[in-house]
Amino acid sequence: MAGLEGYESVYRGHPAKSWDIGTPYSQKYHGREVIRPLDIPVIHPLAEDNPPVVDDDITVSKYVGLGCGLASLITGNLLIHPFIVLRRQCQVNPSSTKYHLMPVTLVPVIVRLHQTQGINTLWKGIGSVLLVRGMTLAIEDLLSKITPWPKKITCDSSLKTFGQHVLLKCLSIGIVTPFYSASLVETVQSEIASECPGILDVFRDGAIRLLDVCNKGRLIPIYALAPPSIVYGVTKYLFTLIVRGVASRIMHIRHKHLQEARGAYSKDLLSENVVQDIEMQSEFVSICAADIVFYPLETVIHRLHLQGTRTIIDNLDSGRSVIPLLTGYNSAVDCYRTIISTEGPLGLYKGFGALILQFTMHFMVLRATKWILTELGTMLMPRPKSIKPQKQQLYYNEI
């Protein structure tokens, strides 16, 4: 206030001390210590004390999905190859008395094969199989670049786009047919009765089969093998797409109902890890369903490819001997009728036990990979630090 600049501050007739005007130091009032208010610290948790657990969970789930996808790729191309060899040897043998419809009957045969021919006997032809698959992908990619035909389609694709995609599949399967035939011979022929083929012999044998258009003996030319092979490949591919889409839709609806049963939708209802897991499961279901439904047609196609090739295969009735393939089918229809009349309807399902073993192996690898990666991610994921309240130091001064 104006006019009071030279006067001291007073309190109840005494000069005001420094603590009255806001100084932080303790002072005595009338000879006694003043008890000052306690300074209570306000604890503010830092960002690093609470790591984002949600982001870590998403990262772990992402790596789990990638690991399962890689495991599925390795299993589908490498680990299940022995069961493919067993299945094809059973399919193409018209004189076998044991059909091996269940996996139990194949176990002693596998043991005998390992005893007589070694552990490599069920891995024959794996190089040619991988080369043919890689060739198929390369041809599809090349055709999609030099033509307007798309390599992939979605549910929103037009009818014209769908037809062009089917044409691309037909042409690629037709081009690969002679090399597929050469690869099939390498996977079923016995190693103790034939020479071990080189890794690139599949290209030489496929080219010879492609150029050999003359009908020599019972050998079926490629131009006669291509139509049934294309029909089989394209129909199985379209069936796989349909089953995959239906299975994926059902799994999405089931997941939604599970969330509704809990009373509220979870925040990861449509998260990336959930969608990835559903797609992987639907793909596995579609592959299993396609292999089961088209197993009889696959048996017919394989017998037509091997007819007249002078192939000697292992006799899976005993697992200790070999047997030559001697058939005389005129067409796919004649092959089907002959199998039904001479071997019965179950003759179309010879070696089905190996397919069951293949599915079991694939499923177990996927489940084990997912469990291992989930456990590793849980152990390696940083845990949030617990905030311990600081002890407040109380200061008491005697009056």
Side-chain angles (χ1 to χ4, degrees), residues 355-372:
L355 186 64
I356 297 176
L357 289 175
Q358 175 183 328
F359 294 157
T360 305
M361 177 72 175
H362 202 159
F363 177 78
M364 291 178 62
V365 169
L366 290 180
R367 296 296 295 181
T369 303
K370 184 176 181 180
W371 181 81
I372 293 173

Side-chain angles (χ1 to χ4, degrees), residues 250-271 273-275 277-278:
I250 292 175
M251 291 179 185
H252 276 90
I253 296 175
R254 179 176 175 270
H255 184 74
K256 181 179 179 180
H257 289 339
L258 289 176
Q259 297 297 326
E260 291 178 349
R262 296 175 182 175
Y265 290 118
S266 174
K267 60 185 177 181
D268 63 345
L269 177 62
L270 295 176
S271 61
N273 58 329
V274 174
V275 174
D277 188 50
I278 290 177

